[in-house]
Amino acid sequence: MTDARETSISNADRPPLAEAGPAPVPLLEPREGIPPVTATPEALAEVVSAFAAGRGPVAVDAERASGYRYGQSAYLVQLRREGAGTALVDPVGCPDLSSLGEAIGDAEWVLHAATQDLPCLRETGMSPTRLFDTELAGRLAGFARVGLGAMVENVLGYTLEKGHSAVDWSTRPLPEPWLRYAALDVELLVDLRDALEEELERQGKLEWARQEFAAIAAAPPPPPRKDPWRRTSGMHKVRRRRQMAAVRELWTARDQVARRRDVSPGKVLGDAAIVEAALALPTSVQALSALPGFGQRTGRRQLEQWLAAIQRALALPESELPQPALTPAGPPPPRAWADKDPAAAARLTAARAAVTGRAEELNLPQENLLAPDTVRRLCWEPPEELSESAVAEALRAHGAREWQIEQTAPLLAAALAAAPPEG
């Protein structure tokens, strides 16, 4: 698990749980020691039996090999439950963990930054029906720092080791210090969950959190990205369609190599190198090797492979060249609103001020009170009737939760109605 981005909350007092207290205690060893890695069907069957017989919520975490391997698969799954202890499961040796998911049943999962781990856990056959996200709970409760280490320290008074979050978890065998780190990541998750539930209840926000958790658990997997090559870093420099074709061909060739070798695409060829080659459109190995990213470490066979991709782009007829990126559905970037629709720009200014003010009153980040994209869509195409009920229905159509609608619909209706009309 990698600590989620820590978000500062403007003008927010720390909640009682985060008040300064005794010096935090280093958490050095799991309570029952480091469990053996479960990597065989027989060992998995024992874990399944133990967790089926356990009690209460299940702490769940997963470690990936981001930056090392192709894709975002899990290379270690950690679980802890009262009565079952901690388990470290190797999805390489046990790729199908559906039996473990069934053993947990409808028990509540406790995760930190759940949306990071749920996709790779679903790949193994595990998916929660109920969950509690300690990172999101921390945001709603008004904590200024919501990474796991900061939360455990501020709420429970322990410090966690931070040294192994970005290692190559596909390494086998996994070193003992890494396994200790992994086990400790779930050691206190249920304790943290219980403390945060109590704090959210004290602040009157527990029902809000439950709605957020239910939305995460029910959310379908995102659809595959269309034209993922367009997300190449530095793509904004590429203007001509022939150059775009070169980016597409190089990106596709790199992806095929990375998938075949099971390595991160960036280790095969960097985005910056792809963009440099697309801009230059070299026609020889010598010219390609002179570009940044294609230096001495790139063998001739690799250079020929990349040059072939560029040549495919150069040979395409005009009709097969990619078109400039289509304008995404929804409102344009806010910076363009003043020119395109001054009235909408005025609505957005008023709406943002209303949401920001309410978020500060509630001591939570404004993006958790209401998604910025929802605010933009509402202001770009407001309902014909600017009543509270009409605004509430529009927010609901954009996916806002009921607690968010309750907190923001009256303010947004007033802000939209007060914004100066066009002309």
Side-chain angles (χ1 to χ4, degrees):
M1 172 188 294
T2 303
D3 273 4
R5 177 175 61 85
E6 296 181 348
T7 301
S8 296
I9 301 174
S10 302
N11 304 318
D13 295 327
R14 296 169 116 195
L17 285 175
E19 291 176 354
V25 177
L27 191 63
L28 302 177
E29 289 288 336
R31 271 170 266 191
E32 299 93 11
I34 303 172
V37 176
T38 299
T40 66
E42 295 76 18
L44 178 61
E46 294 182 12
V47 169
V48 167
S49 177
F51 274 79
R55 304 175 298 279
V58 183
V60 184
D61 188 20
E63 306 294 350
R64 300 177 298 280
S66 304
Y68 297 94
R69 295 288 181 174
Y70 186 89
Q72 293 293 319
S73 297
Y75 282 91
L76 189 70
V77 175
Q78 306 102 281
L79 307 99
R80 183 174 179 83
R81 191 179 196 185
E82 186 177 349
T86 297
L88 302 178
V89 182
D90 179 4
V92 177
C94 303
D96 182 1
L97 300 183
S98 55
S99 60
L100 184 53
E102 292 167 3
I104 295 171
D106 63 353
E108 179 187 79
W109 289 27
V110 184
L111 305 102
H112 192 83
T115 55
Q116 293 183 16
D117 287 339
L118 286 178
C120 69
L121 289 166
R122 288 189 175 114
E123 282 185 12
T124 71
M126 297 181 66
S127 188
T129 56
R130 296 187 297 131
L131 64 83
F132 189 106
D133 186 332
T134 52
E135 189 259 2
L136 181 51
R139 290 177 182 275
L140 295 175
F143 284 86
R145 299 170 61 219
V146 293
L148 179 62
M151 292 293 293
V152 167
E153 182 173 330
N154 290 336
V155 176
L156 302 177
Y158 291 92
T159 56
L160 293 174
E161 184 183 356
K162 302 177 182 178
H164 303 301
S165 61
V167 299
D168 181 2
W169 287 94
S170 68
T171 300
R172 292 296 183 273
L174 286 165
E176 183 176 295
W178 299 12
L179 296 174
R180 180 182 297 106
Y181 164 92
L184 290 174
D185 260 2
V186 292
E187 181 82 4
L188 296 176
L189 264 184
V190 173
D191 302 76
L192 181 60
R193 172 234 180 271
D194 292 344
L196 288 171
E197 181 179 65
E198 183 178 331
E199 178 62 19
L200 289 167
E201 177 70 33
R202 188 190 71 79
Q203 294 186 25
K205 298 176 180 176
L206 183 55
E207 176 55 30
W208 303 357
R210 286 173 175 159
Q211 290 182 30
E212 292 298 301
F213 301 157
I216 294 173
R225 285 198 178 109
K226 184 179 180 181
D227 292 344
W229 59 270
R230 292 185 185 271
R231 298 177 63 85
T232 302
S233 181
M235 188 69 192
H236 63 281
K237 302 175 186 177
V238 182
R239 304 290 186 183
R240 292 161 43 200
R241 292 174 62 203
R242 186 74 59 185
Q243 295 172 332
M244 292 179 187
V247 171
R248 181 178 63 187
E249 294 296 331
L250 285 164
W251 188 98
T252 302
R254 179 186 69 173
D255 192 68
Q256 292 170 347
V257 172
R259 185 188 295 270
R260 185 175 68 249
R261 291 169 47 189
D262 190 19
V263 296
S264 169
K267 288 188 174 295
V268 175
L269 186 67
D271 280 9
I274 288 178
V275 170
E276 289 289 342
L279 293 174
L281 294 177
T283 56
S284 69
V285 166
Q286 290 74 19
L288 179 60
S289 65
L291 296 176
F294 297 92
Q296 294 179 348
R297 293 186 179 181
T298 308
R300 184 173 182 86
R301 184 176 176 183
Q302 290 176 295
L303 289 170
E304 290 174 346
Q305 173 182 252
W306 307 132
L307 183 63
I310 297 169
Q311 289 171 338
R312 287 194 294 273
L314 291 171
L316 286 173
E318 287 286 331
S319 61
E320 294 182 21
L321 295 178
Q323 296 295 329
L326 298 175
T327 303
R335 63 180 178 274
W337 286 31
D339 293 330
K340 289 180 176 292
D341 190 338
R347 290 192 295 268
L348 183 61
T349 298
R352 281 174 163 173
V355 172
T356 298
R358 187 61 178 142
E360 290 177 352
E361 291 172 5
L362 296 172
N363 190 22
L364 51 77
Q366 65 186 65
E367 65 267 23
N368 290 111
L369 176 58
L370 195 62
D373 182 65
T374 298
V375 177
R376 288 192 294 269
R377 289 175 183 271
L378 175 71
C379 293
W380 187 251
E381 293 184 357
E384 291 186 12
E385 178 190 353
L386 295 179
S387 65
E388 181 179 331
S389 61
V391 169
E393 191 57 39
L395 292 175
R396 195 171 288 114
H398 290 311
R401 266 71 70 193
E402 292 303 316
W403 76 270
Q404 296 174 317
I405 295 169
E406 178 184 322
Q407 291 298 322
T408 61
L411 298 172
L412 288 170
L416 296 177
E422 186 174 1

